[in-house]
Amino acid sequence: MRNSVFVSIAVFCLLATSCASSIRSGCRQTETVPLTRTDIPPVIEATDSLQTFDVEISFFGKRLNGMLLVKRQDHETVRMLINSYFGMSMADFELRADTFAVHYLLDAMNKPAVVNLFKNDFELLLGFHLPEHFTALQSVCSYPEKLISVETINGKFQYRIDVENQNITRIKAPGLSVEIPYGAYPRTITLKHCGIFSPTMVIKEMK
């Protein structure tokens, strides 16, 4: 019994450590600032033009590869499709400020926990997860970066932002870390989830 408790604690600590981030490294001079949603640049800027990305989703030792298609349908609605390279539909989502609709999802992924994961990921990447107006902590970091920390009803979100080009380079969110190395080509977005499920999603702009 003691051994199983010890193993459980060790696994929990390992997961917590693996999900920890040095996102605050080199940051100082923190101040409270009023911000709006547009002050935090989205990782993916949805536009009227169709955007195409390579996407790889890894979970439970399996990998799904395909294309992520993103397009803004109107001022409030963004559509996201995930297709295989052979044209087979794997997922079809519609995102609004207050709703996340699943039009289609492969049976293997059509589980409440997976749907919620996609919902949270796309809200984060497209900038739908923050309120219109909020108060945040802003810190000066190693040039040319700043750190913005926001407390929401869904937890704490931290953004490392390059102030010269207003690009997010890292995000630390509840149960999730996101990395977008600046200057990498093609631009690559890596989402790593924490916990037992712990899927990883890698999104790359198509060359």
Side-chain angles (χ1 to χ4, degrees), residues 20-197:
S21 170
S22 58
I23 195 167
R24 289 196 56 85
S25 177
C27 298
R28 59 196 185 282
Q29 298 178 9
T30 300
E31 62 176 340
T32 301
V33 294
L35 297 176
T36 65
R37 183 185 294 170
T38 56
D39 291 320
I40 307 291
V43 177
I44 297 177
E45 180 73 51
T47 68
D48 295 336
S49 299
L50 182 66
Q51 298 179 71
T52 307
F53 304 86
D54 290 307
V55 62
E56 179 181 280
I57 303 171
S58 306
F59 63 101
F60 294 138
K62 298 181 179 180
R63 292 185 179 182
L64 290 176
N65 294 279
M67 296 181 294
L68 170 65
L69 311 176
V70 179
K71 185 177 181 180
R72 181 174 292 279
Q73 293 187 310
D74 56 47
H75 180 68
E76 297 181 346
T77 309
V78 177
R79 196 73 171 260
M80 296 84 62
L81 306 178
I82 300 177
N83 294 337
S84 73
Y85 290 116
F86 301 102
M88 182 184 75
S89 178
M90 295 191 288
D92 182 354
F93 305 121
E94 181 178 291
L95 180 62
R96 290 171 173 263
D98 56 351
T99 59
F100 181 79
V102 179
H103 295 293
Y104 177 77
L105 188 57
L106 282 177
D107 288 342
M109 296 191 292
N110 199 358
K111 313 295 181 185
V114 179
V115 171
N116 191 58
L117 181 145
F118 277 120
K119 173 182 179 294
N120 293 337
D121 285 357
F122 284 118
E123 284 182 344
L124 180 67
L125 294 177
L126 294 162
F128 278 64
H129 62 298
L130 292 172
E132 288 290 344
H133 301 273
F134 55 91
T135 300
L137 295 178
Q138 180 171 281
S139 304
V140 177
C141 304
S142 302
Y143 186 81
E145 293 185 323
K146 66 181 178 181
L147 178 71
I148 294 179
S149 301
V150 185
E151 293 281 358
T152 75
I153 59 174
N154 295 316
K156 185 176 183 177
F157 294 82
Q158 295 177 288
Y159 310 85
R160 193 88 175 220
I161 301 174
D162 187 309
V163 297
E164 289 189 337
N165 50 52
Q166 285 301 297
N167 284 334
I168 291 177
T169 58
R170 278 185 286 172
I171 301 175
K172 185 178 180 183
L176 171 68
S177 65
V178 183
E179 294 187 2
I180 314 102
Y182 178 67
Y185 181 80
R187 183 169 178 256
T188 302
I189 305 162
T190 303
L191 298 91
K192 295 181 179 180
H193 296 83
C194 305
I196 297 175
F197 183 41

